[in-house]
């Protein structure tokens, strides 16, 4: 099975996110000083001077903060999916994560709907955390 | 006061065939022609230029990575005293005007050329595909977020959710902008358009359709700034740059602090208004970057032209169209006039022409103050200038 869509250029900051996904865990970062959680992953806390960052496993639940339905795909690689839904999910822990919403009914998507993570193993190297409505 | 910075020359490149550069044009001679035309209308020459600010996406990887050096060489500018190649997206040229204001006022240089050119339509160079999913792009690109349209669509959905704006709200902006383009002989798309045309157009990324999105054209422009004192001997009516501001917050739309509220524009315009000693209620017109219709809606609210969430009432009933209460994007905008990839310089060019009284069939009477606001990236950066044809 070959995966023909864009793959992440995984770097030292993002490796725990993608490694976690392979094991069925949605990983996010948390600041030990303030408790705030965030992505994208960086080895610093945005706006906090002295802090330590740790990786935690998120509950995988959240709500749709915003979304769009791509009627035109982002290039030929996504043509087989169109129309498809991209969501910004506000996790229960606070961080926002961007991914796809797995659905057969893009017209019924709305901000505020509750969602949970699902793991889409697209190749031996890559598992993508996606979301579905609950 | 004698070093009060002013705009004394502007020029935009001619195009044909819905935004294609004229035959024999490339990205350097286009910028040379714009520069010479803007200098000539003021009665200046390239020999007067001692400051240069440029940004663009051409020639990369390669010589385009150092555009200030390349254009200094190509244009034959002798040892400029100040260079700026800051590229924060399409807002860059408004930011350059702000930086030029400070440099001219401080006496670092006397005559600044702000310059832009693009052949993206002729060279079919717009495609953003095929780039590696680096850094924070790992999430967007793996999800297939069409860039930049999908990012703006997410902001639009969030704004609609929070404030009750609708697709009709956005269509009002597209229709008003097209009506202005009908009065601009250089506009790529001049045929009148109705709200239904916008609402029934091909969907791209919900809630944005084809006419909510800017054009893809070639194009270029030049702006010349100097001191009010120098301008006394020049041929054009000087337009005063009274205040400026700039800011940035993110690269990817998912990390925009609040997708329904353009805080970079709020921050940037606050500083511009304070420096100018004039506020949003004093503005007689606005030139707001219109990469997408939602960009305009978010910007007018952030600039205080109306309250946050009240943009839907501000634009209703074609209030910003020709003959309406508040002239906005009077050149036809990125939506209908031209959008060569980085549109910000055209905001300065059009506001200058309107404030001088040089805008031809689209001239608005009785103007004193104008606000220009550029947006770069995906609502990522913002830059504001306040312009006026009256210093006091």
């Amino acid at each position: 099975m070959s995966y023909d869509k864009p793959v992440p250029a995984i770097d030292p900051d993002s490796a725990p996110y993608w490694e976690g996904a392979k094991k069925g865990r949605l990983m996010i970062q948390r600041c030990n000083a303030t408790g705030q959680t965030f992505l994208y992953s960086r080895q610093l806390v945005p706006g906090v001077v002295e802090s330590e960052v740790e990786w935690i496993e998120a509950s995988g639940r959240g709500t749709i903060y915003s979304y769009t339905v791509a009627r035109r795909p982002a290039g030929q690689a996504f043509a087989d999916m169109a129309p498809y839904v991209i969501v910004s999910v506000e996790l229960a822990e606070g961080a926002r994560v961007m991914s796809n919403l797995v659905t057969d009914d893009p017209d019924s998507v709305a901000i505020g709907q509750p969602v949970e993570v699902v793991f889409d193993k697209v190749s031996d190297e890559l598992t993508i955390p996606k979301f579905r409505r609950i | 006061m004698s070093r009060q910075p002013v705009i004394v020359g502007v020029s935009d490149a001619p195009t044909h065939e819905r935004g294609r550069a004229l035959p024999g044009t490339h990205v350097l001679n286009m910028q040379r022609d714009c520069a010479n035309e803007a200098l000539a209308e003021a009665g200046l020459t390239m020999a007067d230029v001692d400051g240069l600010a440029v940004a663009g996406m051409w020639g990369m990887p390669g010589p385009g990575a150092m555009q200030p050096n390349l254009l200094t060489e190509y244009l034959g500018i002798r040892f400029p005293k100040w260079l700026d190649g800051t590229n924060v997206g399409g807002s860059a040229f408004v930011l350059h005007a702000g930086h030029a204001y400070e440099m001219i006022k401080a006496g670092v240089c006397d005559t600044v050329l702000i310059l832009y050119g693009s052949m993206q339509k002729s060279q079919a160079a717009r495609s953003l595909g095929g780039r590696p999913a680096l850094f924070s792009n790992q999430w967007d690109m793996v999800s297939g977020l069409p860039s930049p349209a999908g990012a703006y669509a997410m902001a639009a959905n969030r704004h609609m959710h929070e404030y009750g704006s609708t697709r009709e709200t956005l269509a009002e902006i597209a229709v008003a902008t097209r009506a202005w383009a009908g009065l601009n002989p250089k506009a790529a798309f001049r045929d009148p358009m109705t709200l239904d045309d916008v609402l029934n157009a091909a969907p791209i990324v919900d809630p944005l359709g084809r006419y909510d999105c800017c054009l893809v054209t070639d194009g270029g422009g030049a702006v010349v700034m100097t001191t009010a004192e120098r301008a006394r001997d020049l041929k054009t009516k000087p337009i005063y740059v009274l205040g400026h501001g700039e800011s940035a917050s993110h690269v990817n739309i998912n990390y925009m602090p609040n997708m329904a509220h353009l805080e970079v524009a709020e921050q940037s315009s606050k500083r511009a208004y304070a420096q100018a000693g004039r506020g949003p209620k004093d503005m007689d017109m606005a030139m707001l970057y219109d990469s997408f219709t939602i960009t305009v809606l978010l910007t007018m609210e952030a600039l205080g032209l109306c309250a946050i969430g009240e943009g839907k009432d501000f634009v209703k009933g074609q209030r910003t169209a020709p003959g309406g209460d508040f002239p906005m994007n009077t050149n036809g905008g990125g939506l209908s006039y031209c959008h060569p990839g980085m549109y910000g310089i055209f905001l300065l060019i059009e506001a200058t022409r309107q404030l001088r009284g040089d805008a031809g069939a689209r001239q608005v009477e009785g103007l004193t103050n104008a606000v220009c606001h550029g947006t770069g990236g995906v609502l990522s950066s913002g830059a504001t200038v306040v312009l006026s044809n009256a210093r006091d």
Side-chain angles (χ1 to χ4, degrees):
Chain A
M1 175 178 79
S2 73
Y3 184 67
D4 62 357
K5 295 178 173 57
V7 298
I10 297 172
D11 57 48
D13 280 3
S14 69
Y17 180 85
W18 299 109
E19 285 302 314
K22 280 189 196 173
K23 297 171 192 154
R25 295 176 173 179
L26 180 65
M27 302 301 291
I28 60 173
Q29 288 187 295
R30 182 170 64 188
C31 169
N32 281 340
T34 65
Q36 77 170 107
T37 60
F38 60 94
L39 284 173
Y40 65 100
S41 41
R42 279 153 282 184
Q43 286 165 11
L44 59 84
V45 182
V48 180
V49 178
E50 289 191 25
S51 61
E52 286 182 12
V53 184
E54 63 177 350
W55 282 94
I56 60 168
E57 183 179 354
S59 63
R61 295 195 171 220
T63 55
I64 296 175
Y65 174 78
S66 196
Y67 71 98
T68 185
V69 183
R71 306 285 172 183
R72 282 207 196 159
Q76 203 50 42
F78 288 94
D80 62 325
M81 278 169 61
Y84 57 94
V85 182
I86 305 108
V87 280
S88 168
V89 171
E90 188 167 281
L91 296 171
E93 293 81 4
R96 269 190 226 152
V97 56
M98 176 174 281
S99 190
N100 294 115
L101 185 77
V102 181
T103 178
D104 295 329
D105 185 13
D107 290 333
S108 68
V109 179
I111 287 173
Q113 290 173 339
V115 295
E116 67 180 5
V117 71
V118 291
F119 293 93
D120 186 4
K121 183 177 177 181
V122 300
S123 71
D124 287 343
E125 293 77 35
L126 181 64
T127 296
I128 304 173
K130 296 183 177 178
F131 291 86
R132 68 178 173 212
R133 286 177 284 183
I134 49 177
Chain B
M1 286 299 277
S2 59
R3 293 204 65 84
Q4 164 66 49
V6 294
I7 296 175
V8 293
V10 296
S11 167
D12 59 334
T15 59
H16 69 152
E17 295 175 352
R18 298 217 187 258
R20 200 172 288 275
L22 301 183
T25 307
H26 77 322
V27 78
L28 294 180
N29 66 19
M30 172 195 278
Q31 292 183 77
R32 175 201 63 201
D33 292 348
C34 287
N36 282 333
E37 190 176 288
L39 288 162
E41 74 165 358
L44 293 165
T45 71
M46 204 67 79
D48 295 299
V49 175
D50 62 358
L52 178 67
V54 297
M57 300 298 284
W58 48 267
M60 287 188 273
M66 300 180 194
Q67 292 181 2
N69 300 355
L70 195 154
L71 283 159
T72 294
E73 175 188 75
Y74 183 84
L75 298 172
I77 301 170
R78 294 216 12 112
F79 302 110
K81 296 168 181 159
W82 172 69
L83 297 166
D84 196 337
T86 309
N87 190 338
V88 289
S91 54
F93 312 93
V94 183
L95 171 144
H96 291 163
H99 294 184
Y101 170 101
E102 296 298 342
M103 290 297 151
I104 289 168
K105 199 158 194 178
V108 172
C109 54
D110 290 320
T111 301
V112 166
L113 179 60
I114 304 174
L115 206 47
Y116 172 62
S118 164
M119 295 288 288
Q120 69 164 10
K121 182 181 176 84
S122 295
Q123 296 174 346
R126 176 64 201 173
S127 170
L128 299 177
R131 298 182 188 175
L134 288 173
F135 309 132
S136 55
N137 280 346
Q138 288 172 70
W139 285 260
D140 302 40
M141 291 183 68
V142 169
S143 308
L145 181 70
S147 180
Y152 284 86
M154 281 197 167
N157 268 333
R158 188 71 204 179
H159 191 278
M160 290 176 175
H161 173 77
E162 289 201 15
Y163 300 117
S165 52
T166 62
R167 286 202 65 215
E168 285 76 6
T169 305
L170 301 180
E172 291 273 10
I173 294 167
V175 170
T177 309
R178 175 59 66 87
W180 284 112
L183 302 174
N184 181 358
K186 281 184 167 171
F189 286 77
R190 302 184 62 198
D191 302 331
M193 205 161 60
T194 65
L195 292 176
D196 280 342
D197 290 337
V198 181
L199 296 173
N200 295 329
I204 308 288
V205 276
D206 293 358
L208 305 180
R210 179 184 166 195
Y211 296 122
D212 291 294
C213 304
C214 65
L215 307 176
V216 175
T217 69
D218 299 332
V223 172
V224 178
M225 289 175 61
T226 188
T227 62
E229 183 178 41
R230 181 81 175 87
R232 278 192 215 138
D233 303 325
L234 300 180
K235 298 196 298 196
T236 46
K237 177 183 174 64
I239 300 304
Y240 301 97
V241 182
L242 295 180
H244 70 96
E246 64 193 61
S247 200
S249 66
H250 61 273
V251 173
N252 306 84
I253 197 69
N254 200 35
Y255 312 113
M256 181 171 178
N258 178 349
M259 288 188 203
H261 181 178
L262 192 54
E263 289 169 278
V264 287
E266 186 177 72
Q267 296 286 333
S268 146
S269 64
K270 261 185 194 165
R271 287 191 283 277
Y273 291 138
Q275 188 173 28
R278 296 172 201 198
K281 298 287 179 279
D282 300 316
M283 297 300 121
D284 302 307
M285 68 170 289
M287 291 300 301
L288 310 182
Y289 200 111
D290 58 343
S291 45
F292 297 89
T293 48
I294 182 62
T295 321
V296 179
L297 185 64
L298 289 165
T299 305
M300 67 175 66
E301 294 180 357
L303 261 54
L305 299 174
C306 59
I308 299 286
E310 291 181 5
K312 60 183 185 294
D313 303 317
F314 192 84
V315 301
K316 197 168 187 175
Q318 293 294 290
R319 278 191 69 247
T320 65
D325 295 341
F326 189 80
M328 191 172 77
N329 295 348
T330 56
N331 56 358
L335 293 171
S336 288
Y337 151 56
C338 82
H339 197 291
M342 297 174 66
Y343 167 80
I345 199 164
F346 303 102
L347 305 170
L348 302 169
I349 292 167
E350 176 67 6
T352 298
R353 286 180 174 149
Q354 285 285 357
L355 292 173
R356 278 183 190 163
D358 278 352
R362 63 186 187 279
Q363 182 65 49
V364 181
E365 299 304 323
L367 298 173
T368 304
N369 300 315
V371 60
C372 300
H373 183 84
T375 291
V378 291
L379 302 164
S380 309
S381 70
T384 316
V385 295
V386 172
L387 303 179
S388 183
N389 54 25
R391 190 153 72 182
D392 304 307

